[in-house]
Amino acid sequence: MTLTLAAAEKVLADNFAPWVLDLGLTVESVDPVDGHEAVLRLPWSDRLAREGGGLSGQALMAAADTATVIAVAAARGGFVPMTTVQQSISFQRAVIGADVLVRARLTKAGKRMAFADITMTAEDTEETAAHATAVYALLG
């Protein structure tokens, strides 16, 4: 079963805490071929900036985590109960005044576990701002 863009937006709207929704994330795409990738947009907001004007690491980590949930939902054809087991992130360059594209790609999607590689880039650049990996336990 393919997860449509509208269905992915519904997964986002229905399954996250209000403070995550306050980030303003939107689903840009889900991979229609193998369903193992999702791209979300984290819009720039001064409210998410840290001292010095760069986008905060907390916002980037939450966006990476959220994008992974959407990628898992895409692979499963819809939302299933899951929980983050591990997440690691490396911040490589500051993002100032630009939206961030958050690309979560599942490297393995098993019956009980999913593994993801997440790349975050400022819009209109190919330079990686942050790179994360995540492991999820699939509960349903």
Side-chain angles (χ1 to χ4, degrees):
M1 179 176 177
T2 302
L3 188 72
T4 65
L5 196 55
E9 283 285 353
K10 184 159 176 44
V11 168
L12 180 61
D14 292 350
N15 295 286
F16 290 91
W19 71 267
V20 175
L21 297 176
D22 288 347
L23 294 172
L25 292 162
T26 57
V27 181
E28 291 284 303
S29 66
V30 289
D31 186 352
V33 177
D34 64 14
H36 288 91
E37 182 177 279
V39 178
L40 274 60
R41 175 182 297 272
L42 174 62
W44 172 259
S45 169
D46 289 335
R47 291 185 63 229
L48 301 177
R50 60 174 170 70
E51 182 181 346
L55 191 63
S56 72
Q58 295 91 336
L60 289 169
M61 287 193 80
D65 192 64
T66 304
T68 303
V69 171
I70 301 301
V72 171
R76 290 292 181 103
F79 181 79
V80 295
M82 65 187 92
T83 190
T84 310
V85 173
Q86 180 275 333
Q87 184 177 4
S88 177
I89 193 165
S90 298
F91 303 104
Q92 298 178 13
R93 64 181 28 84
V95 175
I96 300 173
D99 290 1
V100 176
L101 296 178
V102 183
R103 181 177 310 275
R105 176 106 181 125
L106 299 184
T107 57
K108 179 175 169 51
K111 194 172 190 177
R112 299 255 182 224
M113 301 290 285
F115 299 81
D117 186 76
I118 306 102
T119 304
M120 291 159 270
T121 57
E123 186 174 36
D124 296 329
T125 182
E126 294 297 317
E127 296 178 343
T128 300
H131 175 259
T133 59
V135 179
Y136 272 73
L138 307 179
L139 308 173

Short mmCIF file of all heavy atoms in Angstrom, two decimals, residues 74-125:
data_model
loop_
_atom_site.label_atom_id
_atom_site.label_comp_id
_atom_site.label_asym_id
_atom_site.label_seq_id
_atom_site.Cartn_x
_atom_site.Cartn_y
_atom_site.Cartn_z
N ALA A 74 5.57 5.49 5.59
CA ALA A 74 5.58 5.29 4.13
C ALA A 74 5.93 3.85 3.79
O ALA A 74 5.32 3.25 2.91
CB ALA A 74 6.57 6.25 3.47
N ALA A 75 6.89 3.28 4.51
CA ALA A 75 7.29 1.89 4.25
C ALA A 75 6.19 0.91 4.63
O ALA A 75 6.04 -0.13 3.99
CB ALA A 75 8.57 1.56 5.02
N ARG A 76 5.42 1.25 5.65
CA ARG A 76 4.35 0.37 6.13
C ARG A 76 2.99 0.65 5.48
O ARG A 76 2.04 -0.06 5.73
CB ARG A 76 4.22 0.50 7.65
CG ARG A 76 5.37 -0.09 8.43
CD ARG A 76 5.35 -1.62 8.28
NE ARG A 76 6.39 -2.27 9.00
CZ ARG A 76 6.21 -2.91 10.16
NH1 ARG A 76 5.03 -2.94 10.73
NH2 ARG A 76 7.22 -3.52 10.73
N GLY A 77 2.90 1.70 4.70
CA GLY A 77 1.62 2.05 4.07
C GLY A 77 0.68 2.78 5.00
O GLY A 77 -0.49 2.95 4.69
N GLY A 78 1.17 3.24 6.13
CA GLY A 78 0.37 3.98 7.10
C GLY A 78 1.05 3.97 8.46
O GLY A 78 2.05 3.27 8.66
N PHE A 79 0.51 4.73 9.37
CA PHE A 79 1.11 4.84 10.70
C PHE A 79 0.96 3.53 11.46
O PHE A 79 -0.09 2.89 11.42
CB PHE A 79 0.46 5.97 11.50
CG PHE A 79 1.06 6.14 12.86
CD1 PHE A 79 2.27 6.80 13.02
CD2 PHE A 79 0.44 5.61 13.98
CE1 PHE A 79 2.85 6.94 14.27
CE2 PHE A 79 1.00 5.75 15.24
CZ PHE A 79 2.20 6.41 15.39
N VAL A 80 2.02 3.14 12.15
CA VAL A 80 1.99 2.02 13.09
C VAL A 80 2.64 2.51 14.38
O VAL A 80 3.50 3.39 14.35
CB VAL A 80 2.75 0.78 12.55
CG1 VAL A 80 2.07 0.22 11.32
CG2 VAL A 80 4.21 1.09 12.28
N PRO A 81 2.25 1.96 15.52
CA PRO A 81 2.90 2.36 16.77
C PRO A 81 4.39 2.05 16.71
O PRO A 81 4.80 0.99 16.24
CB PRO A 81 2.20 1.51 17.84
CG PRO A 81 0.88 1.15 17.23
CD PRO A 81 1.15 1.02 15.75
N MET A 82 5.20 3.00 17.17
CA MET A 82 6.66 2.85 17.14
C MET A 82 7.25 3.75 18.21
O MET A 82 6.58 4.65 18.71
CB MET A 82 7.21 3.19 15.76
CG MET A 82 7.03 4.63 15.34
SD MET A 82 7.52 4.95 13.64
CE MET A 82 5.97 4.70 12.78
N THR A 83 8.50 3.50 18.53
CA THR A 83 9.19 4.36 19.48
C THR A 83 10.67 4.47 19.11
O THR A 83 11.25 3.52 18.58
CB THR A 83 9.04 3.84 20.93
OG1 THR A 83 9.53 4.82 21.84
CG2 THR A 83 9.75 2.52 21.14
N THR A 84 11.24 5.62 19.37
CA THR A 84 12.65 5.84 19.11
C THR A 84 13.47 5.04 20.11
O THR A 84 13.25 5.12 21.31
CB THR A 84 13.00 7.33 19.25
OG1 THR A 84 12.08 8.10 18.50
CG2 THR A 84 14.42 7.62 18.79
N VAL A 85 14.42 4.27 19.61
CA VAL A 85 15.34 3.51 20.45
C VAL A 85 16.67 4.27 20.57
O VAL A 85 17.27 4.33 21.64
CB VAL A 85 15.58 2.10 19.87
CG1 VAL A 85 16.65 1.35 20.63
CG2 VAL A 85 14.28 1.31 19.85
N GLN A 86 17.11 4.83 19.47
CA GLN A 86 18.39 5.54 19.45
C GLN A 86 18.34 6.61 18.38
O GLN A 86 17.76 6.40 17.32
CB GLN A 86 19.53 4.55 19.17
CG GLN A 86 20.92 5.13 19.13
CD GLN A 86 21.32 5.72 17.77
OE1 GLN A 86 20.83 5.31 16.73
NE2 GLN A 86 22.19 6.69 17.79
N GLN A 87 18.95 7.76 18.68
CA GLN A 87 19.12 8.81 17.68
C GLN A 87 20.45 9.51 17.95
O GLN A 87 20.75 9.85 19.10
CB GLN A 87 17.98 9.83 17.72
CG GLN A 87 18.09 10.87 16.63
CD GLN A 87 16.92 11.84 16.60
OE1 GLN A 87 16.05 11.80 17.45
NE2 GLN A 87 16.91 12.72 15.64
N SER A 88 21.22 9.70 16.90
CA SER A 88 22.50 10.38 17.00
C SER A 88 22.56 11.42 15.89
O SER A 88 22.08 11.18 14.79
CB SER A 88 23.63 9.36 16.83
OG SER A 88 24.88 10.00 16.85
N ILE A 89 23.14 12.57 16.22
CA ILE A 89 23.18 13.64 15.22
C ILE A 89 24.53 14.34 15.26
O ILE A 89 25.14 14.47 16.32
CB ILE A 89 22.02 14.64 15.45
CG1 ILE A 89 21.85 15.59 14.26
CG2 ILE A 89 22.19 15.39 16.74
CD1 ILE A 89 20.52 16.35 14.26
N SER A 90 24.99 14.75 14.10
CA SER A 90 26.20 15.56 13.96
C SER A 90 25.81 16.86 13.27
O SER A 90 25.24 16.83 12.17
CB SER A 90 27.25 14.83 13.11
OG SER A 90 27.64 13.64 13.72
N PHE A 91 26.11 17.97 13.90
CA PHE A 91 25.83 19.28 13.33
C PHE A 91 27.06 19.74 12.56
O PHE A 91 28.16 19.79 13.11
CB PHE A 91 25.47 20.27 14.44
CG PHE A 91 24.29 19.82 15.26
CD1 PHE A 91 24.48 19.30 16.53
CD2 PHE A 91 23.01 19.87 14.75
CE1 PHE A 91 23.40 18.87 17.29
CE2 PHE A 91 21.92 19.43 15.48
CZ PHE A 91 22.12 18.93 16.76
N GLN A 92 26.87 20.06 11.28
CA GLN A 92 28.02 20.33 10.42
C GLN A 92 28.15 21.79 10.01
O GLN A 92 29.25 22.25 9.74
CB GLN A 92 27.97 19.42 9.19
CG GLN A 92 28.04 17.96 9.60
CD GLN A 92 27.94 17.01 8.42
OE1 GLN A 92 28.04 17.40 7.26
NE2 GLN A 92 27.74 15.75 8.73
N ARG A 93 27.04 22.49 9.94
CA ARG A 93 27.11 23.93 9.63
C ARG A 93 25.80 24.57 10.09
O ARG A 93 24.76 23.93 10.11
CB ARG A 93 27.37 24.20 8.16
CG ARG A 93 26.33 23.76 7.18
CD ARG A 93 26.66 24.06 5.72
NE ARG A 93 28.04 24.11 5.37
CZ ARG A 93 28.82 23.07 5.06
NH1 ARG A 93 28.31 21.87 5.05
NH2 ARG A 93 30.07 23.22 4.74
N ALA A 94 25.90 25.83 10.45
CA ALA A 94 24.73 26.55 10.94
C ALA A 94 23.75 26.83 9.80
O ALA A 94 24.15 27.05 8.65
CB ALA A 94 25.16 27.87 11.58
N VAL A 95 22.48 26.82 10.15
CA VAL A 95 21.43 27.24 9.22
C VAL A 95 20.88 28.55 9.76
O VAL A 95 20.41 28.62 10.89
CB VAL A 95 20.30 26.20 9.13
CG1 VAL A 95 19.17 26.72 8.24
CG2 VAL A 95 20.82 24.87 8.62
N ILE A 96 20.97 29.59 8.94
CA ILE A 96 20.51 30.92 9.36
C ILE A 96 19.57 31.47 8.28
O ILE A 96 19.95 31.59 7.11
CB ILE A 96 21.69 31.88 9.57
CG1 ILE A 96 22.61 31.32 10.67
CG2 ILE A 96 21.20 33.28 9.93
CD1 ILE A 96 23.89 32.09 10.86
N GLY A 97 18.35 31.72 8.67
CA GLY A 97 17.39 32.37 7.79
C GLY A 97 16.90 31.55 6.62
O GLY A 97 16.48 32.11 5.61
N ALA A 98 16.96 30.23 6.72
CA ALA A 98 16.53 29.37 5.60
C ALA A 98 15.74 28.18 6.12
O ALA A 98 15.99 27.69 7.22
CB ALA A 98 17.74 28.87 4.81
N ASP A 99 14.79 27.73 5.31
CA ASP A 99 14.09 26.48 5.61
C ASP A 99 15.09 25.33 5.52
O ASP A 99 16.10 25.42 4.82
CB ASP A 99 12.97 26.22 4.61
CG ASP A 99 11.80 27.17 4.77
OD1 ASP A 99 11.84 28.07 5.63
OD2 ASP A 99 10.83 27.02 4.00
N VAL A 100 14.77 24.24 6.21
CA VAL A 100 15.62 23.05 6.17
C VAL A 100 14.82 21.91 5.56
O VAL A 100 13.66 21.67 5.95
CB VAL A 100 16.10 22.66 7.59
CG1 VAL A 100 16.88 21.36 7.56
CG2 VAL A 100 16.94 23.77 8.18
N LEU A 101 15.42 21.21 4.61
CA LEU A 101 14.83 19.99 4.06
C LEU A 101 15.43 18.81 4.82
O LEU A 101 16.65 18.69 4.92
CB LEU A 101 15.09 19.89 2.57
CG LEU A 101 14.45 21.00 1.74
CD1 LEU A 101 14.80 20.85 0.27
CD2 LEU A 101 12.94 21.02 1.92
N VAL A 102 14.55 17.99 5.36
CA VAL A 102 14.93 16.87 6.21
C VAL A 102 14.58 15.59 5.46
O VAL A 102 13.41 15.25 5.30
CB VAL A 102 14.18 16.93 7.56
CG1 VAL A 102 14.64 15.81 8.47
CG2 VAL A 102 14.34 18.30 8.21
N ARG A 103 15.60 14.89 4.98
CA ARG A 103 15.41 13.68 4.17
C ARG A 103 15.74 12.46 5.02
O ARG A 103 16.88 12.23 5.39
CB ARG A 103 16.30 13.71 2.94
CG ARG A 103 16.15 12.50 2.02
CD ARG A 103 17.03 12.63 0.77
NE ARG A 103 16.85 13.92 0.11
CZ ARG A 103 15.88 14.19 -0.78
NH1 ARG A 103 15.02 13.24 -1.13
NH2 ARG A 103 15.80 15.37 -1.35
N ALA A 104 14.69 11.68 5.36
CA ALA A 104 14.87 10.45 6.13
C ALA A 104 14.73 9.26 5.19
O ALA A 104 13.71 9.10 4.52
CB ALA A 104 13.83 10.36 7.24
N ARG A 105 15.77 8.45 5.14
CA ARG A 105 15.79 7.27 4.27
C ARG A 105 16.00 6.05 5.15
O ARG A 105 16.97 5.98 5.91
CB ARG A 105 16.93 7.39 3.27
CG ARG A 105 17.10 6.19 2.39
CD ARG A 105 16.60 6.50 1.01
NE ARG A 105 16.74 5.34 0.16
CZ ARG A 105 15.72 4.81 -0.51
NH1 ARG A 105 14.54 5.35 -0.44
NH2 ARG A 105 15.89 3.76 -1.26
N LEU A 106 15.10 5.08 5.05
CA LEU A 106 15.25 3.85 5.81
C LEU A 106 16.32 2.99 5.16
O LEU A 106 16.25 2.71 3.96
CB LEU A 106 13.93 3.09 5.89
CG LEU A 106 12.77 3.82 6.58
CD1 LEU A 106 11.56 2.89 6.67
CD2 LEU A 106 13.15 4.35 7.93
N THR A 107 17.29 2.59 5.93
CA THR A 107 18.33 1.71 5.42
C THR A 107 17.97 0.25 5.66
O THR A 107 18.50 -0.63 4.98
CB THR A 107 19.69 2.03 6.07
OG1 THR A 107 19.58 1.92 7.49
CG2 THR A 107 20.13 3.45 5.69
N LYS A 108 17.09 0.01 6.62
CA LYS A 108 16.54 -1.32 6.86
C LYS A 108 15.20 -1.15 7.54
O LYS A 108 15.08 -0.40 8.50
CB LYS A 108 17.46 -2.14 7.76
CG LYS A 108 16.92 -3.54 8.04
CD LYS A 108 17.93 -4.36 8.83
CE LYS A 108 17.45 -5.63 9.39
NZ LYS A 108 16.80 -6.61 8.75
N ALA A 109 14.21 -1.82 7.01
CA ALA A 109 12.87 -1.79 7.59
C ALA A 109 12.43 -3.23 7.81
O ALA A 109 11.95 -3.89 6.89
CB ALA A 109 11.90 -1.06 6.67
N GLY A 110 12.65 -3.70 9.02
CA GLY A 110 12.29 -5.06 9.35
C GLY A 110 10.91 -5.15 9.97
O GLY A 110 10.14 -4.18 9.98
N LYS A 111 10.62 -6.31 10.50
CA LYS A 111 9.32 -6.55 11.13
C LYS A 111 9.19 -5.83 12.47
O LYS A 111 8.13 -5.33 12.82
CB LYS A 111 9.12 -8.05 11.31
CG LYS A 111 7.72 -8.46 11.62
CD LYS A 111 7.60 -9.97 11.58
CE LYS A 111 6.13 -10.35 11.65
NZ LYS A 111 5.93 -11.77 11.54
N ARG A 112 10.30 -5.78 13.21
CA ARG A 112 10.27 -5.19 14.56
C ARG A 112 11.16 -3.96 14.74
O ARG A 112 11.02 -3.24 15.71
CB ARG A 112 10.71 -6.24 15.58
CG ARG A 112 9.83 -7.45 15.62
CD ARG A 112 8.98 -7.39 16.83
NE ARG A 112 8.14 -8.57 16.92
CZ ARG A 112 6.89 -8.53 17.23
NH1 ARG A 112 6.33 -7.37 17.48
NH2 ARG A 112 6.18 -9.62 17.31
N MET A 113 12.07 -3.73 13.80
CA MET A 113 13.01 -2.61 13.91
C MET A 113 13.14 -1.91 12.56
O MET A 113 13.00 -2.54 11.52
CB MET A 113 14.40 -3.10 14.34
CG MET A 113 14.46 -3.84 15.65
SD MET A 113 14.18 -2.80 17.08
CE MET A 113 15.72 -1.93 17.19
N ALA A 114 13.42 -0.61 12.64
CA ALA A 114 13.71 0.18 11.44
C ALA A 114 14.94 1.04 11.73
O ALA A 114 15.10 1.55 12.84
CB ALA A 114 12.53 1.05 11.05
N PHE A 115 15.78 1.19 10.73
CA PHE A 115 17.01 1.96 10.83
C PHE A 115 16.97 3.05 9.77
O PHE A 115 16.60 2.78 8.63
CB PHE A 115 18.23 1.06 10.61
CG PHE A 115 18.32 -0.05 11.62
CD1 PHE A 115 17.57 -1.21 11.47
CD2 PHE A 115 19.15 0.07 12.73
CE1 PHE A 115 17.65 -2.23 12.39
CE2 PHE A 115 19.24 -0.95 13.66
CZ PHE A 115 18.49 -2.11 13.50
N ALA A 116 17.36 4.26 10.15
CA ALA A 116 17.24 5.38 9.22
C ALA A 116 18.50 6.23 9.19
O ALA A 116 19.23 6.34 10.19
CB ALA A 116 16.06 6.26 9.61
N ASP A 117 18.72 6.83 8.03
CA ASP A 117 19.78 7.79 7.79
C ASP A 117 19.09 9.10 7.42
O ASP A 117 18.26 9.10 6.50
CB ASP A 117 20.67 7.29 6.65
CG ASP A 117 21.88 8.15 6.45
OD1 ASP A 117 22.81 8.04 7.26
OD2 ASP A 117 21.89 8.94 5.48
N ILE A 118 19.38 10.17 8.13
CA ILE A 118 18.68 11.43 7.93
C ILE A 118 19.68 12.52 7.58
O ILE A 118 20.66 12.74 8.30
CB ILE A 118 17.89 11.84 9.20
CG1 ILE A 118 16.96 10.72 9.65
CG2 ILE A 118 17.11 13.12 8.95
CD1 ILE A 118 17.47 9.93 10.81
N THR A 119 19.43 13.21 6.47
CA THR A 119 20.28 14.31 6.03
C THR A 119 19.46 15.59 6.03
O THR A 119 18.34 15.62 5.52
CB THR A 119 20.83 14.05 4.62
OG1 THR A 119 21.51 12.80 4.62
CG2 THR A 119 21.78 15.14 4.19
N MET A 120 20.01 16.64 6.62
CA MET A 120 19.34 17.93 6.70
C MET A 120 20.16 18.98 5.97
O MET A 120 21.36 19.14 6.25
CB MET A 120 19.12 18.32 8.16
CG MET A 120 18.09 17.41 8.83
SD MET A 120 18.21 17.40 10.62
CE MET A 120 19.37 16.05 10.83
N THR A 121 19.52 19.65 5.02
CA THR A 121 20.19 20.68 4.23
C THR A 121 19.35 21.96 4.24
O THR A 121 18.12 21.89 4.22
CB THR A 121 20.41 20.24 2.77
OG1 THR A 121 19.15 19.90 2.20
CG2 THR A 121 21.35 19.06 2.68
N ALA A 122 20.03 23.10 4.26
CA ALA A 122 19.31 24.36 4.08
C ALA A 122 18.77 24.38 2.66
O ALA A 122 19.41 23.90 1.72
CB ALA A 122 20.23 25.54 4.33
N GLU A 123 17.57 24.93 2.51
CA GLU A 123 16.96 25.01 1.18
C GLU A 123 17.91 25.70 0.20
O GLU A 123 18.63 26.62 0.57
CB GLU A 123 15.65 25.78 1.27
CG GLU A 123 14.87 25.80 -0.01
CD GLU A 123 13.51 26.44 0.14
OE1 GLU A 123 13.39 27.41 0.90
OE2 GLU A 123 12.58 25.97 -0.52
N ASP A 124 17.90 25.23 -1.03
CA ASP A 124 18.71 25.78 -2.12
C ASP A 124 20.21 25.56 -1.95
O ASP A 124 21.01 26.30 -2.52
CB ASP A 124 18.42 27.28 -2.33
CG ASP A 124 16.99 27.51 -2.78
OD1 ASP A 124 16.41 26.64 -3.46
OD2 ASP A 124 16.43 28.57 -2.42
N THR A 125 20.58 24.54 -1.18
CA THR A 125 21.98 24.17 -1.08
C THR A 125 22.07 22.65 -0.97
O THR A 125 21.13 22.01 -0.52
CB THR A 125 22.70 24.84 0.12
OG1 THR A 125 24.07 24.45 0.11
CG2 THR A 125 22.08 24.44 1.43
#
